[in-house]
Amino acid sequence: MILAPLLAVGVAAALTGCSTLEMHGYLPGFVAGQPNTTNQTQRVSDLWTGSWITLLAVGVITWAVIIWFAIVYRRRRGQTGLPVQVRYNMPIEIFYTIVPLILVLGLFAFTARDQTAIETRYANPAVVVDAYGKQWAWDFDYKNDQVYEQGIQAQPGEGANFVESAIPTMYLVVNKKTEIRLRTRDVNHSFWVVDFLYKKDMIAGKTNYWDFTPTRIGTYEGKCAELCGEFHSRMLFNVKVVSQADYDAHMAELRARGNTGLLGTKYDKDDNAATSGSQDSGVDIPSENNGGIEG
Ligand SMILES: [Cu+2]
């Protein structure tokens, strides 16, 4: 019973010869004949399609029974009074208690299993990037190479487009274990890479982690997914997954631009922090939360 959703995916695929798009429940990021975008997206897609197939099966059976009863047991011409009243059918009551229980426990178990796998951190990530959300852009600190990119919010270009080259871009190395450490300089944001099927909040005073391995070279759209103020919609970024050589070239370029060292928490806007550069921190209150994550 627990394996039913996974089996159903396999059977459905075998029977219908689904396209790549259909096989992944119309989720973005899957392209026929190409590797997945990250090592996590197959797992996400399996959970998504498995849940849909299971719930659709329940739905179809339920709709069929509703329609069947409405037609077969409808009131006929000439009938009067109430139909025979039946109560306390124990087998049916046990059935409709147990089946939903199994469904709910099953959905919970699969979700918990996948969430645990996705949220597990690597012991030794090869690439570590600190991503700082800020109203309304992103800063990226490349920990290994000690260089940074300080982003600006998307700039209006021609027509309805933004200037692509001005959008902050995070570089990652294909097939390398990666850890992104997510922090915010001000209000809560959310780091979302659409084709990676993952988003995670950046919560004030907290560091979140996302560990994964990008597995396909390409450029992927990212955006803030937490309404964070006036220009939230311009809080865009790109993720470029490249070869080690291209990554090294980009690091050298940042170094040549003078972006050496790390930005760290220097530009955090923490109104309670005595050491912050905030204009309205008139009161000298030391903040427990102002510590960096260095260490
Ligand atoms: Cu935001």
Side-chain angles (χ1 to χ4, degrees):
M1 188 69 197
I2 294 295
L3 285 173
L6 288 181
L7 273 175
V9 174
V11 170
L15 288 179
T16 60
C18 288
S19 72
T20 303
L21 199 65
E22 288 154 358
M23 271 303 295
H24 296 97
Y26 298 94
L27 290 174
F30 295 97
V31 179
Q34 290 200 31
N36 292 340
T37 54
T38 78
N39 64 324
Q40 297 177 342
T41 56
Q42 189 61 47
R43 185 182 281 281
V44 174
S45 153
D46 286 349
L47 182 66
W48 170 253
T49 47
S51 303
W52 264 109
I53 288 169
T54 309
L55 296 174
L56 209 53
V58 172
V60 166
I61 292 169
T62 309
W63 294 325
V65 171
I66 288 172
I67 291 166
W68 170 264
F69 275 73
I71 292 170
V72 173
Y73 299 104
R74 70 188 186 281
R75 173 166 290 229
R76 311 296 168 107
R77 197 171 296 139
Q79 282 181 337
T80 52
L82 290 171
V84 182
Q85 299 297 295
V86 181
R87 64 183 74 175
Y88 305 126
N89 185 315
M90 266 334 240
I92 287 179
E93 297 210 18
I94 290 168
F95 173 80
Y96 70 57
T97 304
I98 299 285
V99 168
L101 201 64
I102 291 171
L103 283 169
V104 170
L105 289 178
L107 290 172
F108 176 82
F110 281 112
T111 306
R113 181 199 64 184
D114 290 341
Q115 182 175 311
T116 305
I118 288 170
E119 294 300 319
T120 302
R121 290 177 66 189
Y122 290 134
N124 293 303
V127 176
V128 180
V129 186
D130 284 353
Y132 292 84
K134 59 183 186 182
Q135 288 169 318
W136 288 276
W138 314 81
D139 293 339
F140 303 132
D141 270 354
Y142 294 91
K143 303 288 286 184
N144 313 52
D145 296 81
Q146 295 285 302
V147 291
Y148 67 82
E149 173 173 354
Q150 197 164 25
I152 55 168
Q153 72 198 43
Q155 302 294 303
E158 289 201 18
N161 296 322
F162 290 118
V163 180
E164 191 61 33
S165 60
I167 293 174
T169 301
M170 177 189 282
Y171 278 64
L172 298 176
V173 188
V174 70
N175 295 328
K176 281 276 163 71
K177 287 182 179 176
T178 301
E179 177 167 273
I180 300 179
R181 312 202 300 191
L182 303 161
R183 295 174 53 90
T184 170
R185 299 204 183 284
D186 39 53
V187 301
N188 294 351
H189 301 279
S190 184
F191 186 86
W192 179 26
V193 185
V194 181
D195 283 353
F196 290 5
L197 305 183
Y198 191 88
K199 69 164 87 93
K200 194 166 215 175
D201 284 355
M202 296 165 139
I203 304 290
K206 185 174 165 49
T207 303
N208 277 331
Y209 302 89
W210 176 22
D211 289 58
F212 66 103
T213 305
T215 46
R216 190 209 299 162
I217 286 177
T219 304
Y220 306 97
E221 279 182 7
K223 45 189 95 185
C224 179
E226 187 77 65
L227 183 58
C228 58
E230 192 177 1
F231 292 105
H232 160 69
S233 61
R234 291 199 195 173
M235 197 167 159
L236 308 178
F237 64 103
N238 285 320
V239 173
K240 259 190 207 292
V241 177
V242 296
S243 66
Q244 183 72 55
D246 288 353
Y247 178 83
D248 292 340
H250 182 67
M251 295 298 116
E253 192 191 318
L254 288 175
R255 208 167 287 122
R257 256 194 259 160
N259 293 7
T260 50
L262 300 174
L263 293 171
T265 56
K266 195 163 39 176
Y267 295 102
D268 284 13
K269 190 182 130 202
D270 183 345
D271 289 342
N272 283 331
T275 52
S276 82
S278 175
Q279 288 142 4
D280 51 1
S281 64
V283 191
D284 215 30
I285 307 168
S287 164
E288 303 260 307
N289 279 338
N290 196 37
I293 48 167
E294 309 303 312

